[in-house]
Amino acid sequence: MAAKIEPLLTIEDLDTCPDDGNRYELIGGELFVSRAPGVRHQRILHNLQMEFGFYVRQNPIGVLVPGAGAVFSQYDAVIPDLVFVLNERWEDVASGPRLTGAPDIVIEIISPGADNRSRDLFVKRQLYAKYGVAEYWVVDPESQTVEIYRLLGTTLEKIANLKDDDRITSPMLSGFELKISALFVP
């Protein structure tokens, strides 16, 4: 008995999804639907954006963008929580209303649920590695930790699991330090 193979969805199909407050993402031609982020998620995003944004204002080396759609191919389109692109790469990465190239840093805040956790830690990490994202930060509200991955060859490898008074640093962000506990303040 032959297996039935469903056709892959494309970004054209994604553009027909309703504007209903849900997040629609396409990974490998498969549609993923998530609810709009909750208050806790958005407060962590706000804290992260404020701290990172302060650094970028003091060190104008790149552009920080929240919630921008990233279209990597006809079959891959996602909505990272926050992205950072170095100035010298901006024109190559941002063309039109969406990002079309790999940001230098992608940050995802895990939403509740095993499916969201798996998608952020495995599926999206593989996608970001495939398209050349240099760093991937995964913020976990439940454990109040941040996992940092760096592109080594063609794989985003975990280089740190940070918590409490640990600090995020990056070779791309000279002098940048962000205390993990600062992300999770109410």
Side-chain angles (χ1 to χ4, degrees):
M1 176 179 229
K4 182 180 176 188
I5 299 174
E6 295 293 325
L8 297 177
L9 296 177
T10 67
I11 58 170
E12 287 79 20
D13 298 316
L14 190 63
D15 287 338
T16 66
C17 290
D19 186 9
D20 59 4
N22 289 320
R23 291 179 136 189
Y24 294 90
E25 298 179 305
L26 200 58
I27 301 173
E30 183 178 347
L31 183 66
F32 293 89
V33 182
S34 303
R35 291 187 190 154
V39 172
R40 184 176 187 193
H41 179 283
Q42 292 305 92
R43 293 202 54 179
I44 293 168
L45 177 61
H46 171 77
N47 293 340
L48 184 55
Q49 189 174 352
M50 294 295 289
E51 295 289 333
F52 202 155
F54 179 75
Y55 170 83
V56 172
R57 277 191 308 281
Q58 299 299 313
N59 304 273
I61 61 169
V63 179
L64 187 64
V65 182
V71 177
F72 297 120
S73 76
Q74 279 294 104
Y75 306 105
D76 297 302
V78 293
I79 308 170
D81 289 308
L82 196 59
V83 299
F84 174 77
V85 180
L86 291 166
N87 287 333
E88 60 267 19
R89 296 190 61 250
W90 181 253
E91 293 299 319
D92 296 331
V93 173
S95 62
R98 298 176 179 152
L99 302 174
T100 56
D104 294 292
I105 299 173
V106 170
I107 303 168
E108 294 280 4
I109 302 167
I110 298 175
S111 294
D115 289 343
N116 291 320
R117 175 174 295 283
S118 176
R119 184 169 43 249
D120 287 346
L121 290 174
F122 302 107
V123 179
K124 283 188 174 181
R125 181 166 47 100
Q126 290 174 343
L127 177 75
Y128 294 143
K130 176 180 178 179
Y131 290 102
V133 170
E135 285 189 14
Y136 181 40
W137 303 357
V138 180
V139 180
D140 187 341
E142 293 303 314
S143 64
Q144 295 191 357
T145 60
V146 178
E147 292 184 5
I148 305 292
Y149 296 85
R150 290 213 179 105
L151 191 63
L152 301 172
T154 58
T155 306
L156 281 163
E157 298 285 341
K158 187 192 301 188
I159 57 122
N161 187 19
L162 307 172
K163 61 182 179 176
D164 302 327
D165 291 333
D166 294 336
R167 295 175 188 273
I168 299 172
T169 61
S170 171
M172 279 183 274
L173 307 170
S174 178
F176 176 79
E177 287 191 2
L178 174 57
K179 190 174 176 180
I180 299 304
S181 58
L183 297 177
F184 303 104
V185 295

